[in-house]
Amino acid sequence: MSALDPTVAGQLAEDLPPDVFRTIIATFEEDLTRLVQELRAAYDSGDQDGYERAAHSLAGAAAAVGAVGLEREARLAMDHRQPEAAITVLPRLVAEAEGALEALHALIH
Amino acid sequence: MKARILLVEDTPTQAEIAMAMLRADGHEIRHAETAGAALALAMEWKPDAILVDLMLPDFSGIELMRRLKAAQVAAAMIMLTAHGSVKTAVEAMQEGASDFVLKPYSAARLRVTLDNALEKRELRQQLDVAQSQLGRGRFHGFVGASPLMQAIYRTIESVAASRATVFVTGESGTGKELAAEALHRVSPRAEKPFVALNCGAIPRDLLESELFGHVKGAFTGATDNRLGAARAADGGTLFLDEIGEMPAEMQVKLLRFVQTGEVTPLGGTRSEKVDVRLVCATHRDILSEVQAGRFREDLYYRIYVVPIELPPLRLRGEDVVLVSRHLLGLYASEEGKAFSDFDAQAEAAIRAYPWPGNVRQLQNVLRNAVVLHDGALVTREMLPVPLLHEAAPATARAAPQRPGTEAPASRIEPLAVAEKRLILQALEHTGQDVPRAAALLEINPSTIYRKLTAWKQAG
């Protein structure tokens, strides 16, 4: 399954000039790095609110660029009622983030 | 439609995308990451539209819209949400959102939603302006909601920003000075002086000094320098009332002033540049004065640039009642009386009377009724007899006067004697205050000055 929803990511690439699209990918990359760090830190310190807030922001950023897999994992992480433990969701989420970035970079080229 | 857009979004990626889309459409954009920052920015920057993310770090987008609405922020609000539930949409609309956009969105979707919201806002604003203009019962000192007065208010607003000379005409008592003041207050000169000079009320020898000032020693009695109305009004508005009364030699000097914008005080040698917006007024038909050779044609063309003709009270329909109620409230409060309204007969009499002296006459009649009587309602009996005659049925008015009702011959006196007696009586009553005496007699102050001069010359 592709890491990106082509209707969202493709539309963005079409709507925006290439240099602007590149800037957005760079901002997304920065967001990912920061939010995954916040997510890990919140998990390590047992800060449930912080964990859910970071997951929510991650889901929003992912949705904006059409990173559907990442968005799905982030929404799982922000839902405290879901049965999976954070320890199992986090590695999947990081993997999805890397996959989304790769796919976005491919879109630029 | 290019507009000022405030984007409230805490996720940098989303903010970046929205800003890129908005920028591509030529909008001016500001960005706030928190609801608190957005609230402050909205108050200070006054955006045309606000795009609000539903989930914000400090408080929700719904709560932000509630607070923006409470703060009377007039921007169109659009909710940005990933939660496409009907409940969220309804809640957002209830809090004042024009629309909502589901994330993620395309540039086209954002553009259409934003354009619709901005168009709706503009239409609402136009409607508000139109409604407020249609229903304006008051305007910078004027009281009146008739279509004729609405047109006057609109004209005043339209010409206020210009420097063009305005020429106000209208019968005595229609509010020519009020129109000049309104024009000044609505204009960009509002913070600068408004100086009024009644050309008919000032003896001709003094008019030049009153208008252009004088230097010490310019004439006997000129013990100090005097600024004069033109220089006193520098940066503001100079209102020349009863300009039709201006002597011919002064008309030449005024023409020079209008042409050059320069003032030379009486007895002075140096001219001085002044920046005034000139408003002139007269109760006379100024064109007839030009044709009769009493008013300079070149000056007429210089000052008759934007004419405003104030309608007489008899043509203003229901305004006579509005103005009467306003004046009654004012005078009752000033005189410590309990009057709050008119009874039906008094109101009918006020409506029926043609008010040849316009609002000034109405002021005198109502002041008189309030001062001389007491009660909660002004009744027909409290109004002066001529007014009641006019209000009486036409058949009664047309009835010939029986000889027995005429005044006895012994009380009849020459008109000139009666006139002098009444003017002197009014001056004595007002402590020699000419404008007040003139108002009580319902004549122009210039008439009193002319009469006084004539009586003095006649010895």
Side-chain angles (χ1 to χ4, degrees), chain B residues 104-117:
Chain B
Y105 43 81
S106 67
R109 174 81 179 94
L110 182 64
R111 184 180 307 125
V112 168
T113 310
L114 188 57
D115 282 353
N116 284 344

Side-chain angles (χ1 to χ4, degrees), chain B residues 158-179:
Chain B
S158 307
V159 302
S162 154
R163 200 178 171 275
T165 301
V166 173
F167 201 99
V168 189
T169 56
E171 293 177 9
S172 288
T174 47
K176 293 187 283 293
E177 181 159 355
L178 211 53

